Short mmCIF file of all heavy atoms in Angstrom, two decimals:
data_model
loop_
_atom_site.label_atom_id
_atom_site.label_comp_id
_atom_site.label_asym_id
_atom_site.label_seq_id
_atom_site.Cartn_x
_atom_site.Cartn_y
_atom_site.Cartn_z
N LEU A 289 10.06 -9.49 -19.53
CA LEU A 289 9.61 -10.50 -18.58
C LEU A 289 9.83 -11.92 -19.10
O LEU A 289 10.18 -12.83 -18.33
CB LEU A 289 8.13 -10.28 -18.27
CG LEU A 289 7.59 -10.85 -16.95
CD1 LEU A 289 8.37 -10.32 -15.77
CD2 LEU A 289 6.11 -10.50 -16.80
N THR A 290 9.62 -12.11 -20.40
CA THR A 290 9.84 -13.43 -21.00
C THR A 290 11.29 -13.85 -20.83
O THR A 290 11.60 -14.98 -20.41
CB THR A 290 9.47 -13.41 -22.50
OG1 THR A 290 8.14 -12.92 -22.65
CG2 THR A 290 9.57 -14.80 -23.10
N GLU A 291 12.19 -12.93 -21.14
CA GLU A 291 13.63 -13.20 -21.01
C GLU A 291 14.02 -13.43 -19.55
O GLU A 291 14.79 -14.34 -19.23
CB GLU A 291 14.41 -12.01 -21.59
CG GLU A 291 15.91 -12.17 -21.59
CD GLU A 291 16.60 -10.91 -22.12
OE1 GLU A 291 16.79 -10.81 -23.34
OE2 GLU A 291 16.91 -10.02 -21.29
N ALA A 292 13.46 -12.62 -18.66
CA ALA A 292 13.77 -12.74 -17.23
C ALA A 292 13.32 -14.09 -16.68
O ALA A 292 14.03 -14.71 -15.87
CB ALA A 292 13.12 -11.60 -16.46
N ASN A 293 12.16 -14.56 -17.11
CA ASN A 293 11.66 -15.86 -16.64
C ASN A 293 12.50 -17.01 -17.18
O ASN A 293 12.72 -18.01 -16.49
CB ASN A 293 10.19 -16.04 -17.06
CG ASN A 293 9.25 -15.20 -16.21
OD1 ASN A 293 9.53 -14.94 -15.05
ND2 ASN A 293 8.14 -14.78 -16.79
N MET A 294 12.99 -16.86 -18.40
CA MET A 294 13.82 -17.91 -19.00
C MET A 294 15.18 -18.00 -18.31
O MET A 294 15.69 -19.09 -18.02
CB MET A 294 14.01 -17.63 -20.49
CG MET A 294 12.79 -17.96 -21.34
SD MET A 294 12.94 -17.38 -23.06
CE MET A 294 14.53 -18.03 -23.52
N LYS A 295 15.77 -16.83 -18.00
CA LYS A 295 17.11 -16.78 -17.42
C LYS A 295 17.10 -16.85 -15.90
O LYS A 295 18.14 -17.09 -15.28
CB LYS A 295 17.84 -15.52 -17.88
CG LYS A 295 18.14 -15.49 -19.37
CD LYS A 295 18.92 -14.24 -19.74
CE LYS A 295 19.30 -14.24 -21.22
NZ LYS A 295 20.02 -13.00 -21.60
N GLY A 296 15.95 -16.57 -15.31
CA GLY A 296 15.87 -16.57 -13.85
C GLY A 296 16.54 -15.37 -13.21
O GLY A 296 16.89 -15.41 -12.03
N GLU A 297 16.70 -14.29 -13.98
CA GLU A 297 17.28 -13.06 -13.44
C GLU A 297 16.71 -11.86 -14.20
O GLU A 297 16.29 -11.97 -15.36
CB GLU A 297 18.81 -13.08 -13.56
CG GLU A 297 19.31 -13.21 -14.99
CD GLU A 297 20.83 -13.29 -15.07
OE1 GLU A 297 21.44 -13.89 -14.17
OE2 GLU A 297 21.38 -12.75 -16.05
N SER A 298 16.69 -10.72 -13.53
CA SER A 298 16.12 -9.51 -14.13
C SER A 298 17.22 -8.62 -14.69
O SER A 298 18.29 -8.48 -14.07
CB SER A 298 15.29 -8.74 -13.11
OG SER A 298 16.08 -8.37 -12.00
N ASN A 299 16.96 -8.03 -15.84
CA ASN A 299 17.90 -7.12 -16.47
C ASN A 299 17.12 -5.93 -17.04
O ASN A 299 16.64 -5.98 -18.17
CB ASN A 299 18.67 -7.85 -17.58
CG ASN A 299 19.71 -6.94 -18.24
OD1 ASN A 299 20.13 -5.94 -17.66
ND2 ASN A 299 20.09 -7.27 -19.46
N TRP A 300 17.00 -4.90 -16.22
CA TRP A 300 16.25 -3.71 -16.65
C TRP A 300 17.05 -2.94 -17.70
O TRP A 300 18.24 -2.72 -17.55
CB TRP A 300 15.94 -2.82 -15.46
CG TRP A 300 14.89 -3.39 -14.56
CD1 TRP A 300 15.06 -4.35 -13.60
CD2 TRP A 300 13.51 -3.05 -14.55
NE1 TRP A 300 13.87 -4.62 -12.99
CE2 TRP A 300 12.90 -3.84 -13.54
CE3 TRP A 300 12.72 -2.16 -15.27
CZ2 TRP A 300 11.54 -3.77 -13.25
CZ3 TRP A 300 11.36 -2.08 -14.98
CH2 TRP A 300 10.79 -2.87 -13.99
N LYS A 301 16.35 -2.50 -18.76
CA LYS A 301 17.00 -1.80 -19.86
C LYS A 301 16.24 -0.52 -20.21
O LYS A 301 15.05 -0.40 -19.92
CB LYS A 301 17.05 -2.69 -21.12
CG LYS A 301 17.79 -4.00 -20.94
CD LYS A 301 17.64 -4.85 -22.20
CE LYS A 301 18.27 -6.22 -22.04
NZ LYS A 301 18.02 -7.08 -23.23
N LEU A 302 16.95 0.39 -20.86
CA LEU A 302 16.30 1.57 -21.42
C LEU A 302 15.48 1.14 -22.63
O LEU A 302 16.02 0.56 -23.58
CB LEU A 302 17.35 2.61 -21.82
CG LEU A 302 16.82 3.88 -22.48
CD1 LEU A 302 16.01 4.72 -21.50
CD2 LEU A 302 17.98 4.72 -23.03
N GLU A 303 14.19 1.39 -22.59
CA GLU A 303 13.34 1.04 -23.73
C GLU A 303 13.38 2.14 -24.79
O GLU A 303 13.59 1.87 -25.96
CB GLU A 303 11.90 0.82 -23.26
CG GLU A 303 10.98 0.34 -24.38
CD GLU A 303 9.52 0.26 -23.95
OE1 GLU A 303 9.15 0.89 -22.94
OE2 GLU A 303 8.75 -0.42 -24.64
N TYR A 304 13.17 3.38 -24.35
CA TYR A 304 13.25 4.51 -25.30
C TYR A 304 13.37 5.83 -24.56
O TYR A 304 13.02 5.93 -23.38
CB TYR A 304 12.03 4.54 -26.23
CG TYR A 304 10.71 4.90 -25.56
CD1 TYR A 304 10.27 6.22 -25.50
CD2 TYR A 304 9.88 3.91 -25.03
CE1 TYR A 304 9.05 6.55 -24.91
CE2 TYR A 304 8.67 4.22 -24.43
CZ TYR A 304 8.26 5.54 -24.37
OH TYR A 304 7.06 5.87 -23.78
N ILE A 305 13.88 6.82 -25.26
CA ILE A 305 13.88 8.22 -24.82
C ILE A 305 12.86 8.92 -25.71
O ILE A 305 12.98 8.88 -26.94
CB ILE A 305 15.27 8.86 -24.94
CG1 ILE A 305 16.26 8.09 -24.06
CG2 ILE A 305 15.22 10.33 -24.55
CD1 ILE A 305 17.71 8.53 -24.25
N LEU A 306 11.87 9.56 -25.13
CA LEU A 306 10.71 9.99 -25.89
C LEU A 306 11.04 10.92 -27.04
O LEU A 306 10.59 10.72 -28.17
CB LEU A 306 9.67 10.63 -24.96
CG LEU A 306 8.25 10.72 -25.51
CD1 LEU A 306 7.22 10.54 -24.40
CD2 LEU A 306 7.99 12.02 -26.23
N THR A 307 11.84 11.96 -26.79
CA THR A 307 12.14 12.91 -27.87
C THR A 307 12.92 12.26 -29.01
O THR A 307 12.71 12.59 -30.18
CB THR A 307 12.93 14.11 -27.34
OG1 THR A 307 14.15 13.65 -26.73
CG2 THR A 307 12.14 14.92 -26.33
N GLN A 308 13.81 11.33 -28.67
CA GLN A 308 14.60 10.65 -29.69
C GLN A 308 13.77 9.63 -30.45
O GLN A 308 13.91 9.48 -31.68
CB GLN A 308 15.82 9.98 -29.07
CG GLN A 308 16.82 10.95 -28.46
CD GLN A 308 18.00 10.26 -27.81
OE1 GLN A 308 18.27 9.08 -28.06
NE2 GLN A 308 18.72 10.97 -26.95
N ALA A 309 12.91 8.93 -29.76
CA ALA A 309 12.09 7.89 -30.39
C ALA A 309 11.16 8.48 -31.44
O ALA A 309 10.92 7.87 -32.49
CB ALA A 309 11.28 7.14 -29.34
N TYR A 310 10.64 9.69 -31.16
CA TYR A 310 9.65 10.28 -32.06
C TYR A 310 10.13 11.53 -32.78
O TYR A 310 9.36 12.17 -33.51
CB TYR A 310 8.38 10.61 -31.27
CG TYR A 310 7.72 9.40 -30.65
CD1 TYR A 310 7.61 9.27 -29.27
CD2 TYR A 310 7.20 8.38 -31.44
CE1 TYR A 310 6.99 8.17 -28.69
CE2 TYR A 310 6.59 7.27 -30.88
CZ TYR A 310 6.50 7.17 -29.51
OH TYR A 310 5.90 6.07 -28.96
N ASP A 311 11.39 11.89 -32.56
CA ASP A 311 11.99 13.06 -33.22
C ASP A 311 11.17 14.33 -32.96
O ASP A 311 10.76 15.04 -33.88
CB ASP A 311 12.12 12.81 -34.73
CG ASP A 311 12.99 13.87 -35.42
OD1 ASP A 311 13.85 14.46 -34.74
OD2 ASP A 311 12.77 14.11 -36.62
N ILE A 312 10.93 14.60 -31.67
CA ILE A 312 10.28 15.85 -31.27
C ILE A 312 11.21 16.59 -30.32
O ILE A 312 12.12 16.00 -29.74
CB ILE A 312 8.90 15.61 -30.61
CG1 ILE A 312 9.03 14.69 -29.38
CG2 ILE A 312 7.92 15.03 -31.62
CD1 ILE A 312 7.72 14.50 -28.62
N LYS A 313 10.99 17.90 -30.14
CA LYS A 313 11.97 18.71 -29.41
C LYS A 313 11.81 18.65 -27.89
O LYS A 313 12.78 18.81 -27.15
CB LYS A 313 11.96 20.16 -29.88
CG LYS A 313 10.70 20.94 -29.56
CD LYS A 313 10.89 22.41 -29.95
CE LYS A 313 9.67 23.25 -29.53
NZ LYS A 313 9.89 24.70 -29.79
N ASP A 314 10.55 18.44 -27.41
CA ASP A 314 10.33 18.39 -25.96
C ASP A 314 8.99 17.73 -25.70
O ASP A 314 8.38 17.15 -26.61
CB ASP A 314 10.39 19.80 -25.34
CG ASP A 314 9.45 20.79 -26.01
OD1 ASP A 314 8.37 20.36 -26.50
OD2 ASP A 314 9.76 21.99 -26.04
N LEU A 315 8.52 17.83 -24.45
CA LEU A 315 7.27 17.18 -24.07
C LEU A 315 6.13 18.19 -23.90
O LEU A 315 5.12 17.89 -23.26
CB LEU A 315 7.46 16.40 -22.77
CG LEU A 315 7.98 14.95 -22.87
CD1 LEU A 315 9.28 14.89 -23.64
CD2 LEU A 315 8.14 14.33 -21.50
N GLN A 316 6.29 19.36 -24.48
CA GLN A 316 5.26 20.38 -24.36
C GLN A 316 4.02 20.01 -25.19
O GLN A 316 4.12 19.22 -26.14
CB GLN A 316 5.81 21.73 -24.80
CG GLN A 316 6.88 22.28 -23.87
CD GLN A 316 6.40 22.28 -22.42
OE1 GLN A 316 5.47 22.99 -22.06
NE2 GLN A 316 7.02 21.47 -21.58
N PRO A 317 2.86 20.56 -24.82
CA PRO A 317 1.61 20.17 -25.50
C PRO A 317 1.66 20.30 -27.02
O PRO A 317 1.15 19.45 -27.74
CB PRO A 317 0.58 21.13 -24.90
CG PRO A 317 1.14 21.53 -23.58
CD PRO A 317 2.63 21.53 -23.73
N GLU A 318 2.29 21.37 -27.50
CA GLU A 318 2.37 21.57 -28.95
C GLU A 318 3.15 20.45 -29.63
O GLU A 318 2.79 19.97 -30.70
CB GLU A 318 3.02 22.92 -29.27
CG GLU A 318 2.27 24.14 -28.76
CD GLU A 318 2.53 24.45 -27.28
OE1 GLU A 318 3.38 23.75 -26.66
OE2 GLU A 318 1.90 25.36 -26.74
N SER A 319 4.23 20.00 -28.98
CA SER A 319 5.05 18.93 -29.54
C SER A 319 4.28 17.61 -29.58
O SER A 319 4.31 16.89 -30.57
CB SER A 319 6.35 18.77 -28.73
OG SER A 319 7.13 19.94 -28.77
N LEU A 320 3.59 17.30 -28.47
CA LEU A 320 2.84 16.04 -28.41
C LEU A 320 1.64 16.08 -29.35
O LEU A 320 1.28 15.05 -29.95
CB LEU A 320 2.38 15.77 -26.98
CG LEU A 320 3.48 15.50 -25.95
CD1 LEU A 320 2.85 15.08 -24.62
CD2 LEU A 320 4.45 14.44 -26.42
#
């Protein structure tokens, strides 16, 4: 939002992929 307000335009980006960010195999209860 800070960048968007400065530039006057929006640029949506991928923030993270959950399994890759935390090195887990899936989103099952045991993994979390």
Side-chain angles (χ1 to χ4, degrees):
L289 203 57
T290 306
E291 183 183 272
N293 285 330
M294 284 171 51
K295 294 182 177 178
E297 60 183 36
S298 59
N299 182 22
W300 288 80
K301 301 174 184 175
L302 178 67
E303 184 186 19
Y304 69 92
I305 300 172
L306 199 146
T307 58
Q308 294 178 18
Y310 298 117
D311 191 27
I312 58 176
K313 67 174 185 175
D314 54 31
L315 274 55
Q316 292 309 294
E318 298 82 4
S319 298
L320 295 187

